[in-house]
Amino acid sequence: MLPLPAFADNYIWMLHAAGQAVVVDPGDAQPVFDALAQRGLRLAGILVTHHHRDHVGGVAALREATGAPVWGPAREQYRIAVPFVPLAGGDRVEVLGVPFAVIDVPGHTAGHIAYYAPALPDAAGTPVLFCGDTLFSAGCGRLFEGTPAQMQASLDALAALPGDTRVCCAHEYTLSNLKFARAVEPGNAELLQYSARCHELRAGGLPTLPARLATERAINPFLRTREATVAGAARGFDAQVSPNDAVSVFAALRQWKNTFQ
Ligand code: ZN
Ligand code: FE
């Protein structure tokens, strides 16, 4: 599994096996063409999580040049100009012989979907999740089209996946997310440790992703809205927060993060 850097901070994830490749959210076609040529791979499929330009901008050119089939979110069909096979939660799609389950994760956009496979042929057979702009390492996507309740439910669904799941997020936002996470939970030892490791990776020019889901559950404030420390911090930001209501805590955290420097 390769994160192909695109634009300022996007990753286009590429899976490959036996000379064939699949890409997720190709916002730009060129990094994909380059990776295919370098490795002598044929494009066998394109998966899309949501309609934003930085995720679909390269789909038409890749489809035209390679004939690769495209799958995407059924509920965002009218917002994506390229024809694709529509998918929604509960559907399955097989690519490179791997069956991916589709999960509905509304919040960042109204029809956002994620792709989960329990095992991959390429690396150690661990599960993998392509979650677009829903879950980031130490953070989550902004709510452009959904409500806090929807996003909390979407994150709950992703957080329930196995702990060894490799989380393939679509942006390298980890360091700025970690800065916020440390402000929310300054006493979280695992968070401080993870933060130090991510700074080292970035200093060496390496991606912090994929993340490990078990780590995210321990350090990502948006997956920890039921923790007393996180609820208390949210209440410090907004005194109206109900500390026993995960959605209320989530909404305050999201607002706080939106303006956090
Ligand atoms: Zn997006
Ligand atoms: Fe994005």
Side-chain angles (χ1 to χ4, degrees), residues 44-157:
I46 301 169
L47 302 176
V48 171
T49 63
H50 69 292
H51 69 81
H52 285 160
R53 181 91 200 150
D54 63 311
H55 298 250
V56 302
V59 173
L62 288 168
R63 180 177 173 270
E64 224 161 274
T66 66
V70 184
W71 291 270
R75 283 179 296 159
E76 298 187 351
Q77 232 172 342
Y78 70 106
R79 305 198 63 165
I80 300 172
V82 188
F84 63 86
V85 181
L87 297 170
D91 286 346
R92 261 167 209 282
V93 54
E94 196 173 306
V95 292
L96 303 183
V98 182
F100 279 85
V102 178
I103 307 169
D104 280 324
V105 285
H108 177 68
T109 62
H112 200 305
I113 57 175
Y115 299 88
Y116 171 77
L120 276 189
D122 73 329
T126 55
V128 67
L129 173 70
F130 297 112
C131 52
D133 288 353
T134 298
L135 176 59
F136 295 124
S137 184
C140 75
R142 284 175 189 260
L143 303 186
F144 288 119
E145 299 172 10
T147 64
Q150 281 179 319
M151 191 61 147
Q152 175 68 57
S154 295
L155 293 174
D156 281 345

Side-chain angles (χ1 to χ4, degrees), residues 23-55:
V23 289
V24 185
D25 287 351
D28 187 4
Q30 200 53 51
V32 179
F33 284 130
D34 292 347
L36 293 170
Q38 263 165 32
R39 289 157 201 273
L41 299 167
R42 189 181 79 83
L43 191 64
I46 301 169
L47 302 176
V48 171
T49 63
H50 69 292
H51 69 81
H52 285 160
R53 181 91 200 150
D54 63 311
H55 298 250

